[in-house]
Every structure is written in C-alpha cells, then in structure tokens.
Amino acid sequence: MDLKSKYRYARAFVVLMAALITLILNIKYEREIIRSLVIMLIVIIIFYVISTVAIKLIDVIRNLDTKVEEINDEDEDEIQEEGKLQE
C-alpha cells in the first residue's frame, strides 16, 4: 500500500477537526459572523499547511527506513558473497 493512498484523508481530517473546534469556540464566545469566518479561514489555511508538511515528513521518514533496510540487505548479500569467495 502506497503512502499517498494510506494517508489520503489525513489532511482533510486534520483541517476539518480544527475548523470544528474553531466553530465551537466562536459560538461559545458569541463572535460576529464576519470575524468568525475570518478566524475560521485563517485556521483552515494554517492547519492545511501544517498537515501537508507533516505528511511530507512522514513520507521522508518512511522512505529513509526503507532505504536503510535495502542497504542492510545489500550489505548482508555482499558479506555472504565474500564468505563464499574466501572458501
């Protein structure tokens, strides 16, 4: 399973949860509708950027783990080949 399909809805989930919390707080503090919408827009943009960066970092970290495993596998193969040549 590829990372893009695995975390396909993560960005939307984070943004919508932040928007929901903002909406609840705006209702609680009885803010004006225009001010409430401006705050909501700012929160949506900020959390969209944060979630995008987080998903990219997760992708980079997962790719590093895969590369390390591939290098370890290649090293083991080379060690086994060297052992066979010495015999």
Side-chain angles (χ1 to χ4, degrees):
M1 180 179 281
D2 148 81
L3 184 70
K4 290 181 182 179
S5 65
K6 188 172 185 178
Y7 295 110
R8 182 177 181 179
Y9 299 111
R11 184 180 300 125
F13 179 76
V14 170
V15 170
L16 289 174
M17 289 304 296
L20 178 65
I21 292 168
T22 304
L23 175 66
I24 292 169
L25 290 174
N26 285 333
I27 291 171
K28 179 183 177 194
Y29 293 119
E30 299 176 0
R31 293 193 175 115
E32 296 176 5
I33 189 75
I34 299 297
R35 184 174 180 202
S36 175
L37 289 174
V38 169
I39 292 170
M40 178 98 54
L41 180 64
I42 292 169
V43 166
I44 287 173
I45 290 170
I46 289 171
F47 275 89
Y48 181 81
V49 170
I50 290 171
S51 62
T52 301
V53 170
I55 290 174
K56 297 260 185 203
L57 285 174
I58 290 170
D59 188 31
V60 167
I61 291 169
R62 287 184 59 126
N63 286 338
L64 286 177
D65 289 343
T66 305
K67 289 178 183 177
V68 168
E69 289 175 2
E70 290 174 0
I71 290 172
N72 288 340
D73 290 342
E74 291 173 4
D75 289 343
E76 288 176 7
D77 292 341
E78 289 176 8
I79 291 171
Q80 287 177 356
E81 288 177 7
E82 288 176 6
K84 289 178 183 178
L85 292 176
Q86 290 177 357
E87 293 176 357

